[in-house]
């Protein structure tokens, strides 16, 4: 690292890892409920586990993004973060809000709107927290003379993500209107502005890891985020097919959703092309694995598997079935979890000075987690497709169908165990790195590709 | 190189602004012209709204789906009023032990008469929304019951 204030990123990463562990635990609770072992029903019924599972996902990813931003922005702006103490205050307050929300879910303290379960009073605290975060990031950028495209795209993503949280905080009497705006938050986050964050982080990593010229990488970054928004904004229409909105969304949503994989394809081709173009590779093989991996798995999970059920004719049958869970798992993993893992793998040696660039543990972590998640995706997919045919085509009762497809959840659980082992190894490696220290500081004017030469 | 960084930037900002403008126009059209008609907004009674509040306060979407949205652990409830009728729904909501048809448990909500009726009003209203053909009608009807 070049700036002392970058050290705060470590604590964000550590908190993110902790939440991820909890997310996985709650995932297992749900998995076991599905095969009949809902032994915790009295304390943690399925809807509690589900709210915890998805909210922890959102919070740990955002925590990871924030950590990445606190690392990237000083380096791109070439100065220390402003008000570094406030960054720690922000983390602690975020943790407090997160803990209160998660505990609250166990006591019926929530707002039952998928992904936005955080109760309204806590929403206001989230807003204050995010404003503080943005204040520090923007303050640092304004005080610097240097404006890079990577920093701009990352910051735009973070600012829009904050703005888009607001439509989710309005009460509507009409369920359709409520749902309509809920997707402004959820869809425009994950298939819109979060991709800017993903693109910004990916671009930073590629600049550092491949040694390709910044101008080339940033040019393609604009093309990719351009494709993301052009397809993703009107692609919101695929959530409006069957919730009481007009039929024109079937056409517009169908066409633009079909274009959404292009952005991810672009990203995958771009990452691979830059990797091949880079003549000198960074010795941090594990970070490189995760970086190229995120681009490819995002294309498969978010791009292709999304396309698999966004055509209106298909979605009519798959909407509200386990097919969505199939797509959701690999999409979030590939596009967002893996980019955080990539960034943490890149940043840890620089923060701590320990160069665990190509350990067996790190390599196993990568493959076990990825193969495990692929297996889970297949399990959800088989269960989902069977559900579609039995329930929607053949007219079997929901509960009967669930009993028929139960067997696939044993596969999901087995694969989840493999996935969890991979993640466990990754976190063990994270702990092995130890804490960040000032001895890892390198001179400010060290070039981007210093480690390569 | 044909494409300069400047062109790429124009592509990004230009594309975003144009598609966002179209999105806003379509959203306004939907919310002002379509939703009130398709959802029969005139039928949004006090009871329906109270039902929606209960729906959210208990995170029903954490297990069920409605209009295809939610979790996939418990049945889709868009047409539950038509499918099960009032009596059945009331019995489920007022049960003091976990309702568990076919082995999967629901939280015992122990609702009052008032709450159950609000919930039923909400389901009835939801069931009447024009959802462009969702949920699809099954092509066959199988009556296997595994209990």
């Amino acid at each position: 690292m070049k700036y002392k204030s970058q050290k705060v990123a470590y604590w964000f990463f550590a908190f993110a890892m902790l939440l991820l562990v909890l997310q996985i635990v709650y995932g297992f609770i749900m998995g076991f409920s599905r095969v009949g072992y809902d032994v915790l029903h009295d304390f943690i019924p399925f809807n509690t586990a589900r709210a915890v599972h998805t909210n922890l996902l959102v919070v740990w990813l955002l925590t990871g993004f924030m950590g990445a931003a606190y690392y990237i922005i000083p380096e791109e702006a070439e100065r220390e973060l402003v008000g570094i103490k406030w960054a720690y205050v922000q983390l602690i307050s975020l943790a407090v809000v997160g803990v209160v929300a998660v505990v609250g879910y166990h006591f019926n303290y929530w707002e039952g709107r998928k992904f936005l379960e955080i109760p309204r009073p806590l929403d206001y605290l989230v807003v204050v927290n995010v404003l503080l975060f943005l204040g520090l990031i923007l303050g640092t950028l304004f005080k610097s003379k240097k404006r890079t495209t990577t920093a701009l795209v990352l910051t735009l993503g973070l600012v829009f993500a904050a703005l888009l949280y607001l439509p989710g905080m309005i009460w509507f009497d009409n369920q359709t209107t409520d749902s309509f705006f809920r997707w402004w938050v959820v869809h425009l986050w994950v298939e819109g502005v979060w991709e800017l964050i993903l693109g910004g982080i990916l671009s930073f990593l590629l600049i550092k890891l491949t040694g390709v010229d910044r101008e080339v990488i940033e040019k393609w970054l604009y093309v990719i985020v351009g494709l993301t928004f052009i397809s993703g904004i009107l692609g919101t229409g695929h959530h409006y097919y069957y919730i009481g909105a007009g039929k024109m969304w079937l056409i517009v949503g169908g066409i633009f959703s079909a274009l959404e994989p292009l952005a991810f394809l672009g990203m995958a081709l771009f990452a691979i092309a830059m990797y091949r173009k880079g003549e000198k590779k960074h010795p941090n093989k594990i970070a490189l694995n995760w970086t190229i991996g995120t681009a490819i798995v995002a294309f498969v999970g978010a791009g292709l598997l999304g396309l698999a059920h966004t055509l209106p004719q298909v979605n009519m049958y798959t909407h509200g079935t386990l097919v969505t869970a199939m797509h959701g798992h690999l999409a979030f993993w590939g596009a967002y979890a893996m980019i955080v893992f990539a960034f943490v793998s890149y940043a840890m040696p620089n923060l701590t000075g320990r160069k665990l660039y190509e350990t067996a543990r790190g390599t196993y972590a990568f493959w076990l987690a990825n193969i495990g998640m692929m297996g889970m995706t297949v399990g959800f997919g088989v269960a989902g497709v069977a559900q579609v045919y039995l329930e929607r085509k053949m007219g079997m009762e929901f509960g009967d169908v669930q009993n028929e497809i139960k067997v696939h959840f044993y596969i999901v659980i087995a694969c989840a165990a493999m996935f969890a082992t991979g993640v466990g190894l990754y976190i063990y490696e994270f702990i092995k790195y130890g804490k960040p220290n000032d001895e890892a500081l390198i001179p400010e004017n060290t070039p981007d590709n210093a480690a390569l030469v | 190189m044909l494409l300069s960084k400047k062109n790429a930037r124009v592509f990004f900002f230009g594309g975003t602004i144009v598609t966002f403008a179209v999105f806003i126009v379509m959203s306004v059209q939907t919310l002002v012209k379509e939703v009130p008609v398709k959802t029969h907004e005139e039928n949004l009674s006090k009871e329906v709204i109270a039902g929606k509040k209960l729906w959210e306060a208990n995170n029903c979407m954490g297990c069920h789906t409605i209009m295809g949205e939610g979790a996939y652990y418990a049945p889709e409830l868009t047409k539950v009023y038509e499918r099960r009728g009032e009596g059945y729904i009331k019995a489920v909501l007022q049960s003091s032990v976990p309702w568990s048809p076919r082995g999967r448990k629901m939280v015992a909500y122990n609702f009052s008469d008032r709450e159950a009726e609000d919930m039923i009003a909400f389901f009835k209203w939801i069931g009447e929304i024009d959802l462009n053909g969702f949920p699809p009608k099954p092509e066959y009807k199988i009556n296997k019951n595994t209990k």
Side-chain angles (χ1 to χ4, degrees):
Chain A
M1 68 184 159
K2 296 179 184 174
Y3 302 92
K4 280 189 175 181
S5 53
Q6 286 176 300
K7 281 188 295 184
V8 70
Y10 171 86
W11 298 102
F12 278 82
F13 298 150
F15 182 55
M17 295 292 133
L18 179 70
L19 297 184
L20 168 62
V21 170
L22 272 179
Q23 190 207 350
I24 294 172
V25 170
Y26 278 79
F28 274 108
I29 294 177
M30 286 192 284
F32 282 112
S33 296
R34 283 192 172 275
V35 292
Y37 299 99
D38 56 349
V39 286
L40 294 172
H41 176 83
D42 292 340
F43 316 99
I44 309 174
F46 191 88
N47 58 349
T48 296
R50 157 81 190 214
V52 174
H53 186 70
T54 48
N55 278 261
L56 283 176
L57 168 72
V58 173
V59 179
W60 87 255
L61 290 176
L62 286 174
T63 308
F65 294 161
M66 286 171 175
Y70 281 133
Y71 186 96
I72 292 173
I73 295 298
E75 213 151 306
E76 292 289 299
E78 296 182 350
R79 57 158 295 140
E80 295 281 356
L81 277 173
V82 297
I84 182 67
K85 274 185 199 148
W86 287 102
Y88 288 94
V89 172
Q90 191 238 324
L91 175 64
I92 293 164
S93 59
L94 182 70
V96 171
V97 173
V99 169
V100 173
V102 166
V103 173
Y105 296 163
H106 294 75
F107 299 96
N108 234 16
Y109 182 54
W110 50 18
E111 215 173 78
R113 296 156 75 227
K114 191 171 157 190
F115 291 112
L116 305 182
E117 286 92 346
I118 294 182
R120 197 58 45 85
L122 292 181
D123 277 340
Y124 295 110
L125 294 178
V126 172
V127 171
V128 173
N129 189 276
V130 171
L131 284 177
L132 177 56
F133 165 73
L134 288 176
L136 297 175
I137 295 295
L138 293 172
T140 307
L141 285 172
F142 280 124
K143 284 209 172 164
S144 153
K145 288 200 183 71
K146 203 167 171 225
R147 306 279 152 82
T148 66
T149 300
T150 299
L152 173 80
V153 170
L154 176 63
T155 310
L156 272 180
L158 295 165
V159 171
F160 285 142
L163 282 177
L164 282 169
Y165 192 66
L166 304 177
M169 290 172 58
I170 311 166
W171 165 268
F172 296 101
D173 289 340
N174 190 320
Q175 179 72 18
T176 296
T177 315
D178 191 302
S179 193
F180 192 89
F181 282 108
R182 197 169 55 80
W183 290 116
W184 276 39
V185 188
V186 181
H187 174 91
L188 289 178
W189 264 12
V190 300
E191 282 156 78
V193 298
W194 279 28
E195 283 184 57
L196 293 195
I197 300 172
L198 162 65
I201 298 176
L202 187 66
S203 149
F204 179 86
L205 286 171
L206 289 172
I207 291 168
K208 300 288 177 179
L209 296 173
T210 66
V212 174
D213 183 50
R214 174 183 282 274
E215 286 299 300
V216 177
I217 289 183
E218 292 183 339
K219 176 177 79 181
W220 290 108
L221 174 63
Y222 270 134
V223 174
I224 287 160
V225 293
L227 283 172
T228 299
F229 271 177
I230 288 171
S231 60
I233 293 174
L234 288 169
T236 314
H238 62 237
H239 296 289
Y240 298 161
Y241 294 161
Y242 307 118
I243 62 163
K247 283 204 165 118
M248 73 182 164
W249 289 107
L250 297 175
I251 299 163
V252 175
I255 292 170
F256 283 86
S257 301
L259 297 175
E260 279 189 41
L262 280 182
F264 286 107
L265 178 64
M267 203 176 285
L269 294 176
F270 160 73
I272 295 166
M274 293 305 125
Y275 169 71
R276 299 179 71 153
K277 193 175 156 82
E279 286 166 1
K280 294 204 176 84
K281 306 280 191 299
H282 195 287
N284 192 341
K285 280 274 163 53
I286 293 183
L288 204 58
N289 275 351
W290 286 106
T291 304
I292 306 296
T294 194
I296 294 171
V297 181
F299 168 60
V300 178
L304 287 183
L305 294 183
L307 177 68
H309 69 139
T310 52
L311 280 177
Q313 298 87 332
V314 177
N315 194 253
M316 166 72 91
Y317 289 92
T318 57
H319 180 49
T321 67
L322 287 160
V323 171
T324 312
M326 161 201 73
H327 161 57
H329 278 82
L330 200 65
F332 270 106
W333 170 249
Y336 300 119
M338 285 181 75
I339 192 69
V340 172
F341 274 40
F343 196 82
V344 171
S345 295
Y346 166 76
M348 287 306 283
N350 304 343
L351 287 166
T352 61
R354 299 191 67 187
K355 297 185 167 35
L356 307 178
Y357 284 152
E358 206 182 347
T359 61
R361 195 162 44 219
T363 311
Y364 276 118
F366 176 82
W367 290 108
L368 285 173
N370 272 291
I371 297 170
M373 182 51 86
M374 290 283 176
M376 287 168 67
T377 305
V378 172
F380 278 120
V382 173
V385 172
Q387 182 192 5
V388 166
Y389 279 95
L390 293 176
E391 191 181 324
R392 299 272 164 91
K393 286 264 187 195
M394 310 300 282
M396 259 171 86
E397 272 296 325
F398 178 90
D400 291 332
V401 175
Q402 293 298 312
N403 283 331
E404 289 291 330
I405 63 177
K406 197 188 260 181
V407 60
H408 303 298
F409 279 91
Y410 286 106
I411 309 291
V412 171
I413 291 170
C415 293
M418 188 177 188
F419 169 77
T421 310
V423 171
L425 286 174
Y426 186 93
I427 292 173
Y428 186 65
E429 184 100 328
F430 178 86
I431 295 165
K432 278 276 166 192
Y433 267 111
K435 299 213 180 88
N437 64 73
D438 290 340
E439 282 166 32
L441 276 170
I442 54 169
E444 273 186 40
N445 51 5
T446 312
D448 275 348
N449 57 352
L452 315 179
V453 281
Chain B
M1 253 322 209
L2 269 155
L3 181 82
S4 67
K5 189 171 173 184
K6 199 176 152 209
N7 292 341
R9 190 186 306 135
V10 171
F11 170 74
F12 167 58
F13 284 107
T16 303
I17 291 166
V18 171
T19 46
F20 192 67
V22 174
F23 179 68
I24 293 295
V25 171
M26 286 183 69
S27 294
V28 171
Q29 159 84 11
T30 299
L31 294 168
V32 176
K33 300 258 183 215
E34 294 163 354
V35 173
V37 179
K38 288 173 91 92
T39 63
H40 309 284
E41 218 163 59
E42 68 280 3
N43 296 338
L44 263 182
S45 61
K46 249 189 5 267
E47 290 75 23
V48 175
I49 295 166
K52 179 175 182 276
K53 284 186 180 147
L54 283 169
W55 173 261
E56 288 183 12
N58 294 294
N59 191 18
C60 305
M61 231 189 198
C63 294
H64 293 276
T65 48
I66 199 156
M67 307 194 298
E69 296 182 339
Y72 321 107
Y73 190 68
E76 160 58 56
L77 297 178
T78 306
K79 299 283 179 194
V80 69
Y81 182 83
E82 179 188 315
R83 194 170 70 240
R84 299 291 195 199
E86 279 190 46
Y88 185 97
I89 301 173
K90 212 166 174 180
V92 174
L93 293 173
Q94 298 196 311
S95 171
S96 55
V97 290
W99 189 268
S100 56
R102 299 170 176 83
R104 203 169 267 185
K105 282 186 202 143
M106 174 168 161
V107 174
Y109 284 106
N110 220 341
F111 272 1
S112 66
D113 278 341
R114 175 81 265 154
E115 289 171 323
E117 277 154 24
D118 290 341
M119 216 54 245
I120 288 165
F122 176 71
F123 288 134
K124 183 167 183 291
W125 173 79
I126 287 277
E128 288 164 358
I129 299 177
D130 172 3
L131 297 176
N132 295 336
F134 183 85
K137 291 250 180 312
E139 284 151 43
Y140 311 90
K141 188 71 202 168
I142 287 182
N143 289 315
K144 184 181 170 227
N145 192 339
T146 52
K147 284 285 171 209

